[in-house]
Amino acid sequence: MNAVVQLAGETDFDGWRAAARDLRGRGVAPETVHWTAGPDLFTPAPARCAAASPGRFSVPRGFLELASAAICHRSTDRFALLYRLLWRLEREPGLMALVTDPDVAEARDMANAVSRAAHKMKAFVRFRLLTDVEPETYVAWFEPAHHVVRRTAPFFRDRFANMRFSILTPDACVHWDGAEVIFGPGASPADAPAGDSLEDHWRVYYASIFNPARLKVRAMQSEMPKRYWRNLPEASLIPGLIEQANERTAAMVAAEPAVAKKRAPKVAAAQESPEPAPAGSLAQIAADIQSCRRCDLWRDTTQAVPGEGPNAASIMLVGEQPGDMDDLAGRPFVGPAGQMLDRALLEAGVARDRLYVTNAVKHFKHEPRGKRRLHKTPVAGEVSACRWWLDQERARVAPKVVVALGATAALALLGRAVPILASRGRPFELADGAACLVTMHPSFLLRLPDEPAKAEAFGRLVDDLRQAAQLAMGAGTPARQEN
Ligand code: URA
């Protein structure tokens, strides 16, 4: 060996490229180079430091893409293999098309394995909520098959943009604080919480989407290999669900065919329901909502999400409907919109635990898109059907001020559509004397494309929450008469 290259880390692709370019420029043959990667970032890499002319050799783009993936493989030979390919490419420009070439095949296998590992990480990371930590923070422990933490970090940042989280792995950790992605050294399982209150909801959700008639044990085990099971709350259910699958499928086949429901008449009937909304205890209301069949939204959800907060809160916040995470957690505003709301409340100096937080619609309306459940806006009939529950909550809590977060909540509270921006600032008076302030929904802020617009909208939301707090303290008078 006459060259030793120490890369700055296991996935130091830039370092590998710089060193490979340098070595090739100096004509250093692959078999004479020893590659290592390690935590010692400050050790100078001899081959990389030596001055050399890189020459005029450019590699196909496909090679760089393949190399940037393959370098994340755990094989200790990967750096050498990739340099060997680079070396050969100068003399064999069509090399990458030779899929039977052993070096090409090995590099492709590595890149594919890395891509599978990244996919598994995106699918099987499960966050746990840290207890007693402010602001709300989620932590996940995961053991990826290859070095894919950096590769998957943009996915988690974008998917959970408004959630503070850390993903801990034995190789590296990634932290997101809502503004910056930070990478750190590896951790151990003891650094992550073992479970939390969200896990039961995961299990309820998983059991409810498990279709015994579609069970293919082999496919399931290849999609969800056992090595990932120990971090999956739902894994404990799998053996039981597999065991019962035949019996459940037989019962499904033997059952009477289900008669298709007609959605529109059902919703319309609920709208016209003459029943008054009795004011039971909040706990009773929350329990009763679980069996609500006033419209069809309950069918595809994990559970209904009732409001939460003190019995006699002077301010009630009404959102649109639970989101994906809220549906799993059984609590309103715990997902990305909730994070935004929490920030605005903090800025306004309003404590969330003094408010009653609920939604116009208590079930998560969504449509499947691949593995994701995409939010769908509830229609007027669904809002109207669910108003029965909102009225019960209002009757029980009797807030002085009700804040409608967005158009759906305004529709539920005022019984008609109002323009949100034009309606801000001037409270409506509801039939029970409560003041109703209309403001933007926190998700609206999340969708704004640029930072200045986001900051401006955030400022308005904060102002509106402050105004609600002032009204609740008796400052200001409601102006408009509403139902
Ligand atoms: N989560 C809720 O509980 N309500 C919303 O309107 C949005 C997210």
Side-chain angles (χ1 to χ4, degrees):
M1 293 287 157
N2 57 14
V4 175
V5 180
Q6 169 131 26
L7 298 174
E10 297 287 356
T11 56
D12 179 15
F13 184 58
D14 290 342
W16 176 85
R17 269 184 90 178
R21 205 184 293 133
D22 173 54
L23 291 165
R24 195 200 52 73
R26 292 190 290 121
V28 182
E31 56 280 9
T32 65
V33 184
H34 178 71
W35 296 85
T36 63
D40 185 4
L41 303 181
F42 305 105
T43 305
R48 213 195 306 178
C49 294
S53 125
R56 270 189 289 121
F57 164 58
S58 63
V59 290
R61 175 185 286 273
F63 170 75
L64 286 180
E65 273 164 22
L66 181 81
S68 69
I71 208 155
C72 300
H73 199 276
R74 285 202 189 275
S75 159
T76 48
D77 295 338
R78 65 201 186 280
F79 307 121
L81 168 71
L82 293 172
Y83 181 53
R84 194 158 63 244
L85 277 172
L86 181 79
W87 178 265
R88 289 181 57 197
L89 268 172
E90 194 168 7
R91 290 146 191 89
E92 305 167 64
L95 175 63
M96 295 314 291
L98 298 178
V99 288
T100 51
D101 179 275
D103 285 345
V104 174
E106 193 180 351
R108 279 177 186 269
D109 285 350
M110 284 183 186
N112 288 338
V114 166
S115 156
R116 277 195 304 277
H119 169 74
K120 299 288 184 225
M121 182 158 177
K122 290 175 194 170
F124 297 140
V125 158
R126 295 286 183 270
F127 288 105
R128 271 106 188 176
L129 180 62
L130 286 185
T131 45
D132 305 328
V133 172
E134 287 293 337
E136 205 167 78
T137 303
Y138 292 80
V139 176
W141 169 254
F142 192 73
E143 292 164 53
H146 296 288
H147 299 287
V148 291
V149 172
R150 281 176 190 269
R151 266 180 109 69
T152 53
F155 165 85
F156 289 104
R157 177 201 59 203
D158 296 345
R159 176 85 171 79
F160 300 105
N162 290 290
M163 200 173 107
R164 281 172 169 263
F165 66 78
S166 294
I167 304 175
L168 314 184
T169 85
D171 313 308
C173 297
V174 54
H175 312 277
W176 168 248
D177 61 3
E180 200 185 352
V181 174
I182 296 164
F183 294 97
S188 82
D191 298 323
D196 72 356
S197 57
L198 297 180
E199 311 236 312
D200 286 343
H201 299 297
W202 258 112
R203 282 188 273 266
V204 172
Y205 172 63
Y206 186 81
S208 72
I209 59 165
F210 180 85
N211 182 347
R214 293 220 170 146
L215 176 65
K216 291 196 181 94
V217 177
R218 280 245 184 93
M220 185 172 162
Q221 279 169 350
S222 101
E223 176 57 23
M224 196 195 267
K226 282 205 167 161
R227 68 189 303 261
Y228 299 111
W229 284 27
R230 64 175 162 255
N231 299 316
L232 297 175
E234 67 268 32
S236 59
L237 298 177
I238 295 172
L241 290 170
I242 293 178
E243 207 176 293
Q244 295 155 13
N246 285 343
E247 210 176 300
R248 285 179 60 196
T249 307
M252 281 161 75
V253 171
E256 292 284 310
V259 180
K261 295 253 180 282
K262 288 186 184 153
R263 261 164 212 248
K266 198 167 177 205
V267 170
Q271 267 170 272
E272 285 152 17
S273 166
E275 302 159 69
S281 70
L282 287 175
Q284 186 60 51
I285 297 169
D288 291 349
I289 292 178
Q290 296 306 333
S291 46
C292 179
R293 302 293 182 264
R294 300 177 74 82
C295 74
D296 275 349
L297 290 184
W298 64 276
R299 290 184 179 281
D300 301 323
T301 59
T302 312
Q303 58 198 311
V305 179
E308 66 177 20
N311 269 336
S314 58
I315 303 177
M316 176 181 280
L317 300 190
V318 183
E320 181 191 79
Q321 62 166 4
D324 191 3
M325 293 188 70
D326 314 321
D327 164 86
L328 295 170
R331 296 181 52 209
F333 282 106
V334 296
Q339 303 271 321
M340 178 62 84
L341 177 64
D342 286 347
R343 268 195 238 160
L345 287 169
L346 193 68
E347 184 83 13
V350 178
R352 175 162 169 168
D353 59 6
R354 312 274 308 263
L355 311 176
Y356 189 83
V357 180
T358 191
N359 282 299
V361 170
K362 306 295 195 248
H363 283 106
F364 174 39
K365 183 171 180 181
H366 59 275
E367 62 185 359
R369 183 74 54 83
K371 290 188 178 164
R372 299 178 60 193
R373 301 187 298 166
L374 293 192
H375 163 275
K376 263 185 104 176
T377 306
V379 296
E382 288 152 350
V383 174
S384 172
C386 214
R387 182 168 166 166
W388 199 77
W389 297 110
L390 181 60
D391 285 350
Q392 286 203 50
E393 292 177 305
R394 273 177 59 200
R396 182 70 191 86
V397 179
K400 278 192 190 163
V401 181
V402 185
V403 181
L405 298 167
T408 303
L411 173 66
L413 290 160
L414 304 174
R416 65 189 166 90
V418 293
I420 300 302
L421 292 181
S423 305
R424 290 179 53 241
R426 249 184 88 203
F428 295 82
E429 187 179 327
L430 301 180
D432 61 359
C436 175
L437 282 172
V438 172
T439 187
M440 288 151 293
H441 192 282
S443 302
F444 168 74
L445 276 62
L446 295 174
R447 289 193 298 268
L448 288 173
D450 59 90
E451 284 310 317
K454 228 177 236 185
E456 193 186 334
F458 182 77
R460 288 179 174 173
L461 179 59
V462 170
D463 286 348
D464 294 342
L465 293 169
R466 276 201 195 112
Q467 188 187 2
Q470 279 160 5
L471 272 177
M473 287 187 304
T477 340
R480 321 181 221 199
Q481 298 283 312
E482 291 293 327
N483 56 337

